[in-house]
């Protein structure tokens, strides 16, 4: 059996395609760069991060975008007739006043690892745009046409436009063609496909929260009209009927299903296997209960599907409830290397697991000046939306230990560097080394930012030896996390408070949504943007066998572990 999620942590909005015996899956990255990770698998059980589509932060400029804006819902397809991979993605620039200003682009590549073409602008008619290659050679773009007018149902309807690959532009204006397969409202994430004589429209409905689901409709004509699947929704965490067309809110916590391990199941994409089987990938979440806070964000799960005799796509077990345990595909086993846990920074380039907010990590990370160390050049504060020197990786379990060794000699109080657990620029906890004027020496202290309110534990400030290497560590143990430090990497001392892991979540944070907790190393120079900190290694050890449901049962005895 395969255990969900198959790709834990921040991996939302999955879109899957197949080229021969190889499967490729792309996910959203929002404000994080590099953009659009692509995972590779040959058995749909073992997945390996193999590349990123967006690797130029000037062509795709995310600087100054608020948290949860940026790259939304990529659509990855492979067209056999063209022998090309296509990726359609949106750059969400603003959600102010619920206008949802987005620009949609298309890039192509012969090889999944690139190089990718220069982006072609498609349109700004809503988000979650995707591309369909018809068997007659024509191509179509579907997206959510966002509704801004009064007295119209929101968020809108799915629109269709033909794409001219020669002129590289949309033909005419997109036309509305689908209003959903249920009454859950908040339709989004359209994908057009063809199976047999029918065109199929697959969408997410109910909002990307606790009423989320996957729905389908079909037609004999690409432009419709489309007929609803009578069994909609076909995949969800909360079976049953609900009428929510009048409520555009996406979260809807009242639909939490205590009988399901996976919550928020929706936003799906399916693939037919060479052996005749069909599988669907979708996003899901595993919240802390009763807070209903998803510290690991929206993750990628998989379900076994089947085509019925009358041409509808359904879950193979006959239900529509997303399962944590799923029958494996009948494909040869194809294990992949485990993601790196101990990085000694000996390689000349960064491992693909690292990201930075809004800019590429290589803008501030130097791996050559001091071989075997990552040198981070400090820039703006962690609260900035512009140029922040933060090298991070995704938190994939709420049971994790992260350690680094740092050499850093701050000259003024505007210099700081250290280890950080980060949700967004207004929500993070940070163990920093800095220059203390009151102590007249280097010191360690923890800064905690919670919904824009900054707390510094100055009474727990620890003076440390000048120009001395320091080991920094953060423990995440279910609902709680805390920091420690050491001179020798063996004897650690706790510093700062014990913090609430659940608060690093979409549901708690007020300034961002849709993203996830990241853990990383960081440096700031608020004076000249040139002070550096050296990191000898970065160790990430996570126990992904423990589900969040275990954290939900965490007792008051957690103090015994500290």
């Amino acid at each position: 059996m395969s255990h969900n999620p198959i790709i834990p942590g921040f991996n939302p909005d999955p879109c899957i395609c197949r080229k021969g015996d190889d499967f490729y899956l792309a996910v959203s990255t929002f404000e994080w760069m590099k953009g659009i990770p692509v995972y590779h698998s040959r058995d749909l059980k073992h997945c390996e991060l193999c590349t990123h589509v967006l690797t130029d932060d000037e062509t795709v400029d995310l600087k100054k975008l608020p948290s949860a804006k940026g790259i939304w819902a990529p659509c990855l397809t492979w067209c056999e007739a063209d022998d090309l991979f296509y990726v359609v993605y949106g750059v969400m620039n603003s959600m102010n006043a619920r206008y949802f200003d987005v620009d949609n682009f298309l890039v192509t590549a012969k090889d999944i690892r690139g190089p990718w073409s220069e982006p072609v602008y498609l349109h700004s008619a809503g988000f979650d745009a995707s591309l369909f290659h018809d068997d007659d050679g024509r191509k179509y773009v579907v997206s959510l046409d966002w509704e801004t007018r009064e007295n119209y149902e929101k968020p809108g309807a799915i629109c269709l436009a033909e794409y001219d690959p020669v002129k590289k532009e949309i033909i005419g204006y997109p036309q509305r063609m689908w209003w959903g397969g249920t009454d859950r409202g908040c339709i989004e994430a359209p994908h057009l496909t063809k199976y047999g004589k029918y065109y199929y429209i697959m969408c997410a409905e109910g909002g990307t929260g606790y009423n989320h689901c996957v729905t389908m409709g079909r037609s004999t004509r690409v432009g419709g009209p489309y007929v609803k699947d009578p069994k909609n929704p076909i995949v969800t965490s909360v079976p049953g009927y609900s009428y929510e067309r009048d409520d555009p809110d996406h979260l809807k916590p009242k639909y939490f299903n205590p009988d399901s391990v996976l919550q928020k199941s929706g936003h799906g994409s399916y693939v037919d296997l060479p052996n005749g089987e069909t599988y669907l990938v979708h996003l899901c979440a595993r919240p802390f209960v009763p807070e209903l806070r998803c510290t690991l964000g929206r993750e990628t799960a998989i379900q076994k599907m089947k085509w019925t005799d009358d041409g509808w796509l359904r879950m193979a077990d006959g239900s529509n409830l997303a399962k944590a345990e799923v029958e494996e595909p009948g494909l040869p086993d194809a294990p992949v290397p485990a993601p790196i846990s101990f990085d000694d920074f000996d390689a000349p380039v960064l491992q693909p697991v690292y990201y930075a907010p809004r800019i590429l990590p290589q803008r501030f990370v130097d791996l050559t000046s001091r071989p075997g160390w990552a040198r981070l050049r400090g820039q703006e504060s962690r609260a900035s939306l512009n140029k922040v020197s933060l090298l991070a990786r995704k938190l994939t379990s709420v049971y994790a230990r992260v350690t680094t060794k740092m050499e850093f000699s701050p000259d003024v109080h505007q210099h700081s560097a250290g280890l950080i657990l980060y949700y967004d620029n207004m929500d993070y906890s940070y163990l920093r080394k800095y220059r203390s004027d009151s102590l007249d020496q280097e010191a360690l202290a923890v800064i905690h930012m919670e919904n824009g309110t900054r707390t510094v534990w100055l009474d727990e400030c620890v003076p440390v030896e000048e120009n001395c290497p320091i080991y920094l560590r953060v423990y995440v143990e279910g609902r709680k996390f805390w920091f420690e430090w050491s001179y020798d990497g063996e004897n650690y001392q706790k510093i700062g408070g014990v913090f609430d892991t659940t608060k690093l979540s979409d549901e708690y944070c007020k300034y961002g949504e849709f993203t996830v907790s990241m853990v990383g190393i960081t440096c700031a120079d608020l004076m000249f943007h040139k002070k550096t900190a050296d990191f000898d290694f970065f160790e990430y050890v996570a126990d992904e066998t423990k589900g969040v449901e275990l954290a939900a049962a965490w007792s008051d005895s957690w103090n015994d572990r500290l």
Side-chain angles (χ1 to χ4, degrees), residues 119-135:
V120 173
Y121 172 73
L122 297 175
H123 61 51
S124 299
F127 57 81
D128 290 0
S130 68
L131 184 67
F132 168 60
H133 312 273
D134 207 345
D135 48 21

Side-chain angles (χ1 to χ4, degrees), residues 543-562:
D543 187 350
E544 292 171 1
T545 65
K546 293 183 178 181
V548 176
E549 67 273 12
L550 296 180
W554 190 261
S555 72
D556 291 336
S557 65
W558 61 266
N559 278 303
D560 297 336
R561 291 195 172 195
L562 303 186

Side-chain angles (χ1 to χ4, degrees), residues 121-419:
Y121 172 73
L122 297 175
H123 61 51
S124 299
F127 57 81
D128 290 0
S130 68
L131 184 67
F132 168 60
H133 312 273
D134 207 345
D135 48 21
D136 62 0
R138 299 170 76 179
K139 302 182 187 298
Y140 299 89
V141 174
V142 286
S143 63
L144 171 63
D145 187 1
W146 187 259
E147 184 59 74
T148 60
R149 298 170 292 181
E150 297 300 321
N151 302 318
Y152 282 77
E153 181 181 316
K154 295 178 175 59
I158 303 304
C159 66
L160 173 75
E162 187 172 357
Y163 172 70
D164 186 333
V166 176
K167 294 183 178 180
K168 297 184 178 181
E169 63 184 20
I170 294 294
I171 300 173
Y173 287 96
Q175 302 297 313
R176 293 190 169 192
M177 44 78 77
W178 181 240
W179 282 261
T182 71
D183 287 324
R184 297 193 181 200
C186 290
I187 188 172
E188 58 189 344
H191 290 291
L192 264 182
T193 57
K194 194 173 186 181
Y195 184 83
K197 66 179 181 180
Y198 289 110
Y199 295 92
Y200 290 85
I201 181 75
M202 174 178 281
C203 291
E205 297 183 36
T208 186
Y210 289 93
N211 203 29
H212 210 198
C213 66
V214 179
T215 65
M216 288 191 82
R218 73 183 184 190
S219 173
T220 56
R221 298 176 59 250
V222 68
Y226 283 79
V227 176
K228 301 175 183 179
D229 185 331
K231 296 294 185 179
N232 274 332
I234 64 169
V235 177
T236 186
S237 295
V238 52
Y241 175 79
S242 60
Y243 187 92
E244 293 287 345
R245 287 186 177 272
D246 296 332
D247 184 1
D249 174 60
H250 76 277
L251 194 55
K252 298 182 173 66
K254 65 183 179 181
Y255 288 103
F256 168 74
N257 180 4
D259 296 324
S260 179
V261 172
L262 305 182
Q263 300 292 321
K264 302 184 180 181
S265 295
H267 199 126
S269 171
Y270 77 87
V271 63
D272 294 316
L273 279 56
N275 63 6
E277 295 180 306
T278 301
Y279 277 79
L280 178 142
V281 293
H282 63 91
L283 70 78
C284 67
R286 296 175 291 164
F288 285 97
V289 178
E291 298 90 346
L292 301 187
R293 296 173 183 167
C294 303
T295 296
L296 298 181
R298 297 172 301 158
E299 308 171 282
T300 288
I302 192 168
Q303 305 295 330
K304 185 173 184 179
M305 310 296 288
K306 65 180 179 181
W307 288 100
T308 64
D309 292 340
D310 58 349
W312 290 110
L313 185 64
R314 306 276 166 72
M315 287 183 63
D317 66 0
S319 77
N320 65 352
L321 178 66
K323 304 297 191 303
E325 301 290 336
V326 177
E327 181 182 345
E328 296 176 7
L331 298 173
D333 212 36
V336 299
I340 187 171
S341 60
F342 185 89
D343 187 358
D344 55 13
F345 297 122
D346 283 346
V349 295
L350 283 171
Q351 297 290 333
V353 297
Y354 294 112
Y355 299 86
R358 299 174 184 83
I359 59 176
L360 291 171
Q362 53 262 43
R363 297 291 182 191
F364 57 86
V365 179
D366 175 4
L367 296 175
T368 59
S369 293
R370 187 180 182 184
W373 295 70
R375 175 164 291 174
L376 271 62
R377 176 179 58 84
Q379 299 182 98
E380 299 174 10
S381 75
R382 265 61 53 169
S384 173
L385 297 176
N386 192 37
K387 296 179 180 179
V388 178
S389 299
L390 194 169
L391 184 68
R393 62 182 294 174
K394 301 171 182 179
L395 189 68
T396 58
S397 172
V398 291
Y399 294 89
R401 186 194 71 214
V402 183
T403 311
T404 190
K405 178 184 176 183
M406 180 181 74
E407 290 188 5
F408 177 61
S409 298
D411 300 319
V412 292
H413 73 87
Q414 291 94 340
H415 295 164
S416 67
L419 183 65

Side-chain angles (χ1 to χ4, degrees), residues 32-50:
W32 293 90
M33 288 294 281
K34 298 182 278 191
I36 310 182
V38 177
Y39 294 87
H40 172 244
S41 178
R42 293 181 65 89
D43 59 8
L44 289 185
K45 182 173 61 175
H46 303 96
C47 299
E48 179 182 19
L49 177 60
C50 69

